[in-house]
Amino acid sequence: MITQYLKTIIFVCLLLCFSALSGYAQEEIYERHIQVSMRVMGHEVLLSAGDSSSRVLPIEKEEDRYGLGFESELQFKPEVLVVTIDSAVKKTGIASSYIVEVEECVSGKVVYSYEIGGSVKQDLVPCVNRMLPKACYRIFFTIVEPNNLLHSFYEPPVESPKNALLEAKGVNYLAFGIPGLALLLLIGLFLYSQKNKPKAKHDPNLTSIGAYQFNKKSMELSFKGEIIELSSKEADLLKLLLNYVNSTVEREHILKTIWGDEGSYIGRTLDVFISKLRKRLEADTSVKIVNVRGIGYKLILKG
């Protein structure tokens, strides 16, 4: 059963994914609205110039401005152009302040420009009575301040320098966002699976002695993959010393526990088995079996 933790991760991932898709869709819709509005503006400019048959060429976006091109040459008075474009802007609602620049197609020189709204106290519209001769012109439209109502409806994301750089290189940041969310989800699933993974059962027969592992049942010591088999007496003696690790075990107690009443010779036998265990454990210097003179033996584990 999926835990509440995993449900939360999935919910957050889905929410972020929906938010990214929604923001991207809103930005696309906003951009398309501007493109349509520019075509409306171009159509109105042609009509004001007395041309009802020529086409408006595809809208071109150069950095932060939109370019209007026309199939035929045209002639116009600046004052008529100002009124025509302002009417189209108000009709489409794309901007509350803007800049218009008219360039010659061949030279690329700006032959006329003006600004409406913005931070200036009044509109900057120069030379309105001078007729521009018939020629090929391109009109560039820059939105200085979007229409507040329209902008709040579409809420296009504020473009950061980083996103601008990605877009300039043809990189769709959404293509990175969704895989990132998927990766986050996979990490959550992995953590969940690890959390609920059956843990290996602890073997009560295994005991650590420094770097060694002592299996009481099989009477084996293991050290870095090497298996050392112990005799039953060696194993019993080691178990007894482990029960009193870092404490002295009296000699008489060891003899009685391991050998019982097997005769007086077993005293020397104990010393032999202690020597054997020391040999078995010598690879780890943190493990020592020391002789406490006149009392017995002590298994010392350092650290």
Side-chain angles (χ1 to χ4, degrees):
M1 183 177 180
I2 299 179
T3 63
Q4 187 62 37
Y5 169 73
L6 186 57
K7 288 180 180 178
T8 302
I9 289 180
I10 294 174
F11 174 76
V12 171
C13 287
L14 291 176
L15 185 63
L16 290 174
C17 187
F18 174 78
S19 177
L21 289 171
S22 177
Y24 183 74
Q26 290 292 79
E27 183 182 16
E28 284 292 300
I29 294 172
Y30 180 76
E31 183 65 26
R32 289 176 185 175
H33 175 75
I34 294 177
Q35 294 280 341
V36 172
S37 300
M38 293 303 299
R39 296 197 69 83
V40 170
M41 185 185 300
H43 176 69
E44 295 292 337
V45 169
L46 284 175
L47 291 179
S48 68
D51 188 342
S52 59
S53 59
S54 297
R55 293 185 305 112
V56 177
L57 299 179
I59 308 301
E60 296 180 2
K61 186 177 181 181
E62 297 181 1
E63 296 181 352
D64 59 346
R65 62 180 192 166
Y66 297 86
L68 274 173
F70 305 96
E71 187 178 38
S72 303
E73 295 182 344
L74 66 154
Q75 180 184 26
F76 58 86
K77 290 183 68 175
E79 61 180 332
V80 176
L81 180 69
V82 171
V83 172
T84 302
I85 290 181
D86 192 56
S87 174
V89 169
K90 290 177 179 178
K91 182 187 299 184
T92 57
I94 58 174
S96 58
S97 62
Y98 56 91
I99 296 173
V100 174
E101 298 167 286
V102 181
E103 292 184 2
E104 287 184 343
C105 297
V106 178
S107 66
K109 293 181 179 180
V110 177
V111 295
Y112 184 70
S113 63
Y114 66 92
E115 180 177 356
I116 298 293
S119 59
V120 295
K121 293 183 179 180
Q122 60 182 8
D123 299 337
L124 300 178
V125 185
C127 309
V128 292
N129 294 317
R130 296 179 184 176
M131 176 69 74
L132 290 178
K134 189 173 185 179
C136 175
Y137 296 108
R138 295 180 69 198
I139 299 175
F140 287 95
F141 184 86
T142 302
I143 298 175
V144 177
E145 185 178 343
N147 181 290
N148 290 332
L149 290 176
L150 182 70
H151 192 255
S152 62
F153 175 76
Y154 287 108
E155 293 183 341
V158 177
E159 186 178 48
S160 67
K162 184 176 181 181
N163 284 340
L165 178 61
L166 290 175
E167 288 186 5
K169 294 182 177 180
V171 179
N172 186 346
Y173 65 87
L174 190 63
F176 291 94
I178 293 179
L181 294 175
L183 178 61
L184 181 62
L185 180 59
L186 289 176
I187 291 173
L189 290 171
F190 173 76
L191 293 176
Y192 169 74
S193 64
Q194 291 299 308
K195 181 179 179 182
N196 292 273
K197 187 177 181 180
K199 296 181 180 179
K201 293 183 179 179
H202 175 69
D203 189 345
N205 294 308
L206 284 178
T207 302
S208 295
I209 306 175
Y212 290 89
Q213 285 288 316
F214 175 41
N215 191 316
K216 300 175 184 177
K217 185 176 181 180
S218 64
M219 298 185 297
E220 293 176 340
L221 279 172
S222 61
F223 180 77
K224 295 182 179 180
E226 180 185 358
I227 302 298
I228 305 168
E229 294 182 357
L230 303 178
S231 66
S232 60
K233 293 298 184 185
E234 287 175 325
D236 290 341
L237 178 57
L238 185 55
K239 282 188 282 186
L240 180 60
L241 293 173
L242 275 172
N243 290 338
Y244 298 92
V245 66
N246 294 324
S247 298
T248 302
V249 186
E250 293 182 357
R251 186 180 184 87
E252 288 74 14
H253 179 66
I254 297 174
L255 292 173
K256 187 174 182 180
T257 302
I258 305 300
W259 281 275
D261 300 322
E262 295 185 12
S264 59
Y265 70 91
I266 60 173
R268 294 186 299 275
T269 304
L270 172 58
D271 297 332
V272 172
F273 276 92
I274 289 293
S275 296
K276 287 184 177 181
L277 284 181
R278 285 173 175 162
K279 188 71 174 176
R280 306 287 197 192
L281 299 168
E282 66 180 358
D284 187 350
T285 57
S286 68
V287 181
K288 299 286 185 182
I289 299 177
V290 298
N291 179 20
V292 182
R293 187 175 296 276
I295 300 177
Y297 292 96
K298 180 192 294 187
L299 174 63
I300 298 176
L301 298 181
K302 297 180 181 179

